[in-house]
Amino acid sequence: MPVTMSRAFLDNFLGNSPKWFKIAIISFLVINPIVFYFNPFVAGWLLVVEFIFTLAMALKCYPLQPGGLLAIEAVAIGMTSPSQVLHEIEANLEVVLLLVFMVAGIYFMKQLLLFVFTKMITKVRSKVAVSLLFCMASAFLSAFLDALTVIAVIITVAVGFYSIYHKVASGKTFGESHDHTSDGQNQLCEEELESFRGFLRNLLMHAGVGTALGGVCTMVGEPQNLIIAAQANWQFAEFAIRMSPVTVPVFFAGITTCFLVEKFKVFGYGQQLPEAVHKILSDYDAHEDANRTKHDKVKLLIQAIIGVWLIAGLALHLASVGLIGLSVIILATAFNGITNEHALGKAFEEALPFTALLAVFFAIVAVIIDQQLFAPVIQWALSYEGNTQLVIFYIANGLLSMVSDNVFVGTVYINEVKSALLNGQITRDQFDLLAVAINTGTNLPSVATPNGQAAFLFLLTSAIAPLIRLSYGRMVWMALPYTIVLSIVGVLAIQLGALEQMTQYFYDSQMLIHHSAQAAVDGVVSSH
């Protein structure tokens, strides 16, 4: 049968997405203007639900296209204005620069990170120890780098390990080129291969959770952290200290969970690295060490020095996060001889799709602000007092982050709470406490599903996921013990009042500094 124009249009629309998904998006685009004409408030909430739906269906279609269409229509029919969208983007420029420059900067440090993770697997034989190392290393790196970048590096490591094993088991040497998706896999020992897949699944999940454990701790760990820090006017050190009453016990709880699931081999963990595979990887590592040139060693040294600068620059807030990322790009490429424009362009491929999606987030946020969609919810939550109020914000952010994206959720809630502060509904101390509850709420329970965290979604949609049989359901199941433990420990830390103690500590410290400075000034004046 000849293809009609309408059929060709539907085939082209959103590409290979399921037909029902395409029809759903078209239906949204048709219904929204009608609902908006009769009731703007209901239409605004309908738009938010539809956008969350596109995030939840990220495996069917990347949210940029369907979410972007909804955002464009929202501006076109008057739910918000282009100037309001631009204002939201300008207010969060640091986050945009973080994603553009920091992720690209770490791309040029992958050699060092690959070297470190390879040594972990080949030199440490205990599976429990390797799991703990991967989890803690990911947490440490995610505290100073973007979690998406960290998981991208570890995925690269896993793909490399899989390719090396596949190549050798298929009768090829290290020097030969090989496509790890070829039919040579049939020659491999199925039992050995399945054990190796399970081993890689375990490490990738531990690393993914590690990015959440570290990412919640600092203002650069996750994009919404930077948004929250900007609204609260916190610098790097203050952010980390204010979060510590929750993040410190959660970190140790997460590491303990990692140990227990590996020790007792539950929830799909405890898979051992087959001895034959370990020998292959060790031989490969020895081969790389033997063939590493002076130029390669200098590159690793340069990257290590740049890593020190990166951590120091962020910790001391020597420049904005995006500018530090730009400096990493310049230093890493200049001293390692990467001067070709096309070679530079590859570094930006990972970050730019998510950066574009973030701009769409801000368009939806602009609708929420203009239509005052969250005002009733925020007013209800603010009607409570003390720890109960903080727990409600934590749970509300956590549940929504499980099915949506934590950047979107965190942005919406911190903007609404900031408005309440500016309107005199809450005090500055209340705002600081709520900011901590929002940040931890969006970062910790969101490990439950790949929808919640960009790093988890990136892992699920990566090339390694089908190779190691990592499906959506399996990822949710393997994340379950972490979800339960991190969520409960987080809410207990808030409920027990540690945040109020930290706020009082800051208040006392600031007063002490103020009085000391005033005394010093008075002393200088009196001496004259």
Side-chain angles (χ1 to χ4, degrees):
M1 292 179 64
V3 177
T4 63
M5 292 294 289
S6 58
R7 176 61 185 272
F9 171 81
L10 191 60
D11 288 343
N12 290 340
F13 182 66
L14 299 182
N16 295 324
S17 303
K19 185 177 179 180
W20 66 264
F21 181 80
K22 298 180 181 184
I23 294 173
I25 298 301
I26 293 174
S27 301
F28 296 160
L29 295 172
V30 172
I31 292 171
N32 287 346
I34 300 172
V35 178
F36 182 68
Y37 177 79
F38 290 102
N39 193 320
F41 185 82
V42 173
W45 267 108
L46 184 62
L47 177 72
V48 171
V49 173
E50 291 166 354
F51 185 70
I52 291 174
F53 170 77
T54 66
L55 295 174
M57 294 292 107
L59 295 181
K60 305 295 183 184
C61 177
Y62 192 67
L64 175 63
Q65 290 77 23
L69 290 173
L70 293 171
I72 291 171
E73 183 185 66
V75 174
I77 65 178
M79 284 188 174
T80 188
S81 64
S83 60
Q84 182 65 30
V85 176
L86 181 60
H87 172 73
E88 290 301 316
I89 294 174
E90 288 175 341
N92 297 285
L93 182 60
E94 274 204 71
V95 182
V96 175
L97 294 180
L98 163 71
L99 290 174
V100 173
F101 291 135
M102 188 63 80
V103 175
I106 303 308
Y107 176 89
F108 296 109
M109 296 178 63
K110 277 187 176 180
Q111 284 174 293
L112 176 66
L113 296 171
L114 286 168
F115 174 81
V116 171
F117 281 106
T118 301
K119 293 297 182 186
M120 282 186 193
I121 282 191
T122 56
K123 302 302 181 185
V124 181
R125 292 297 289 127
S126 167
K127 172 64 187 308
V128 174
V130 170
S131 299
L132 291 172
L133 282 173
F134 261 70
C135 191
M136 288 189 289
S138 299
F140 175 78
L141 291 171
S142 295
F144 295 96
L145 315 175
D146 179 69
L148 189 64
T149 306
V150 175
I151 202 66
V153 169
I154 296 173
I155 288 171
T156 303
V157 173
V159 171
F161 288 160
Y162 191 93
S163 300
I164 293 163
Y165 168 70
H166 191 286
K167 181 192 306 182
V168 174
S170 300
K172 294 182 171 60
T173 62
F174 294 128
E176 295 181 71
S177 62
H178 184 71
D179 178 7
H180 58 67
T181 61
S182 70
D183 293 334
Q185 184 171 304
N186 296 330
Q187 302 174 28
L188 307 182
C189 170
E190 192 59 37
E191 184 179 348
E192 185 179 273
L193 178 59
E194 192 52 46
S195 296
F196 186 37
R197 284 171 175 160
F199 178 82
L200 291 179
R201 280 197 303 269
N202 290 176
L203 293 188
L204 285 167
M205 286 301 297
H206 291 315
V209 172
T211 63
L213 292 175
V216 69
C217 295
T218 67
M219 61 184 282
V220 297
E222 291 279 354
Q224 74 271 16
N225 298 19
L226 201 57
I227 295 171
I228 292 169
Q231 294 289 7
N233 197 27
W234 294 341
Q235 301 303 329
F236 188 91
E238 182 176 355
F239 184 98
I241 295 173
R242 284 191 179 275
M243 294 296 160
S244 61
V246 181
T247 58
V248 171
V250 162
F251 173 79
F252 286 108
I255 296 301
T256 303
T257 304
C258 177
F259 173 81
L260 292 175
V261 294
E262 282 293 339
K263 188 70 175 177
F264 294 102
K265 301 181 179 180
V266 292
F267 292 95
Y269 293 101
Q271 296 286 339
Q272 298 294 321
L273 179 64
E275 191 62 39
V277 180
H278 179 264
K279 185 178 187 309
I280 290 172
L281 297 179
S282 297
D283 290 346
Y284 171 78
D285 184 47
H287 171 80
E288 288 294 296
D289 287 344
N291 289 276
R292 187 171 288 114
T293 65
K294 288 285 197 301
H295 291 86
D296 295 329
K297 292 177 181 177
V298 169
K299 287 180 179 179
L300 291 175
L301 178 61
I302 291 294
Q303 290 174 26
I305 294 172
I306 294 172
V308 173
W309 147 245
L310 173 63
I311 294 172
L314 290 173
L316 300 175
H317 199 69
L318 301 179
S320 71
V321 178
L323 294 181
I324 291 175
L326 179 58
S327 73
V328 169
I329 295 175
I330 295 170
L331 293 171
T333 55
F335 287 98
N336 284 337
I338 304 171
T339 56
N340 184 280
E341 182 180 359
H342 295 293
L344 289 170
K346 291 180 180 178
F348 294 89
E349 291 177 0
E350 291 178 357
L352 287 184
F354 191 73
T355 306
L357 179 60
L358 194 65
V360 175
F361 285 171
F362 294 140
I364 304 299
V365 170
V367 172
I368 291 171
I369 292 172
D370 283 351
Q371 301 301 323
Q372 298 184 337
L373 301 183
F374 273 63
V377 179
I378 297 296
Q379 294 305 320
W380 171 76
L382 292 177
S383 66
Y384 292 88
E385 296 181 356
N387 292 347
T388 303
Q389 182 187 82
L390 301 179
V391 170
I392 288 174
F393 269 86
Y394 177 89
I395 294 175
N397 279 268
L399 291 175
L400 197 53
S401 294
M402 288 181 183
V403 296
S404 179
D405 184 273
N406 55 5
V407 180
F408 173 66
V409 176
T411 303
V412 169
Y413 270 88
I414 195 64
N415 282 336
E416 292 296 330
V417 172
K418 184 63 176 288
S419 296
L421 172 66
L422 296 177
N423 294 333
Q425 295 175 268
I426 58 175
T427 65
R428 175 66 204 203
D429 284 349
Q430 274 181 291
F431 173 81
D432 289 337
L433 295 173
L434 289 171
V436 176
I438 292 169
N439 185 68
T440 52
T442 56
N443 275 289
L444 299 176
S446 58
V447 302
T449 68
N451 308 78
Q453 298 224 7
F456 275 56
L457 185 61
F458 187 68
L459 171 58
L460 188 64
T461 56
S462 67
I464 193 64
L467 295 177
I468 62 174
R469 308 296 189 263
L470 184 60
S471 63
Y472 188 100
R474 178 171 267 169
M475 183 177 278
V476 170
W477 174 248
M478 295 180 74
L480 183 59
Y482 284 109
T483 304
I484 295 171
V485 172
L486 301 189
S487 300
I488 292 176
V489 173
V491 79
L492 286 177
I494 291 173
Q495 180 63 40
L496 293 176
L499 297 184
E500 284 89 340
Q501 296 173 20
M502 185 60 70
T503 299
Q504 187 61 43
Y505 164 78
F506 264 100
Y507 177 77
D508 294 341
S509 299
Q510 289 166 0
M511 291 299 294
L512 179 62
I513 293 171
H514 173 75
H515 290 316
S516 299
Q518 188 63 47
V521 171
D522 293 342
V524 171
V525 171
S526 62
S527 66
H528 285 283

